[in-house]
Short mmCIF file of all heavy atoms in Angstrom, two decimals:
data_model
loop_
_atom_site.label_atom_id
_atom_site.label_comp_id
_atom_site.label_asym_id
_atom_site.label_seq_id
_atom_site.Cartn_x
_atom_site.Cartn_y
_atom_site.Cartn_z
N GLN A 66 -96.15 -203.20 -189.91
CA GLN A 66 -97.43 -203.91 -189.76
C GLN A 66 -98.59 -203.25 -190.44
O GLN A 66 -99.72 -203.87 -190.63
CB GLN A 66 -97.70 -203.96 -188.23
CG GLN A 66 -96.75 -204.84 -187.48
CD GLN A 66 -97.05 -204.88 -185.97
OE1 GLN A 66 -96.74 -203.96 -185.29
NE2 GLN A 66 -97.87 -205.87 -185.61
N GLY A 107 -97.60 -210.86 -177.26
CA GLY A 107 -98.45 -211.10 -178.43
C GLY A 107 -98.07 -210.08 -179.54
O GLY A 107 -97.18 -209.26 -179.25
N CYS A 108 -98.68 -210.21 -180.69
CA CYS A 108 -98.34 -209.29 -181.77
C CYS A 108 -99.63 -209.20 -182.67
O CYS A 108 -100.27 -210.22 -182.98
CB CYS A 108 -97.23 -209.90 -182.56
SG CYS A 108 -96.74 -208.87 -184.03
N LEU A 109 -99.92 -207.95 -183.15
CA LEU A 109 -101.13 -207.73 -183.95
C LEU A 109 -101.07 -208.45 -185.23
O LEU A 109 -102.11 -208.72 -185.90
CB LEU A 109 -101.42 -206.23 -184.15
CG LEU A 109 -101.86 -205.45 -182.90
CD1 LEU A 109 -102.03 -203.99 -183.22
CD2 LEU A 109 -103.11 -206.01 -182.27
N HIS A 150 -89.86 -205.30 -178.59
CA HIS A 150 -90.73 -205.93 -179.68
C HIS A 150 -90.87 -205.01 -180.87
O HIS A 150 -90.71 -205.48 -181.96
CB HIS A 150 -92.05 -206.24 -179.02
CG HIS A 150 -93.08 -206.94 -179.94
ND1 HIS A 150 -93.38 -208.27 -179.76
CD2 HIS A 150 -93.72 -206.46 -181.03
CE1 HIS A 150 -94.24 -208.55 -180.84
NE2 HIS A 150 -94.48 -207.49 -181.54
N GLU A 151 -91.14 -203.76 -180.68
CA GLU A 151 -91.50 -202.81 -181.73
C GLU A 151 -90.16 -202.48 -182.49
O GLU A 151 -90.27 -202.41 -183.77
CB GLU A 151 -92.11 -201.56 -181.26
CG GLU A 151 -93.55 -201.77 -180.62
CD GLU A 151 -94.50 -202.70 -181.42
OE1 GLU A 151 -94.41 -202.67 -182.71
OE2 GLU A 151 -95.31 -203.40 -180.75
N HIS A 154 -89.43 -205.08 -184.94
CA HIS A 154 -90.16 -204.94 -186.20
C HIS A 154 -89.51 -204.03 -187.18
O HIS A 154 -89.49 -204.32 -188.34
CB HIS A 154 -91.55 -204.39 -185.91
CG HIS A 154 -92.68 -205.37 -185.53
ND1 HIS A 154 -93.04 -206.44 -186.37
CD2 HIS A 154 -93.48 -205.51 -184.43
CE1 HIS A 154 -94.06 -207.06 -185.81
NE2 HIS A 154 -94.29 -206.53 -184.63
ZN1 ZN B 18 -95.64 -207.10 -183.23
#
Side-chain angles (χ1 to χ4, degrees):
Q66 294 180 278
C108 179
L109 292 177
H150 181 109
E151 300 311 327
H154 271 301

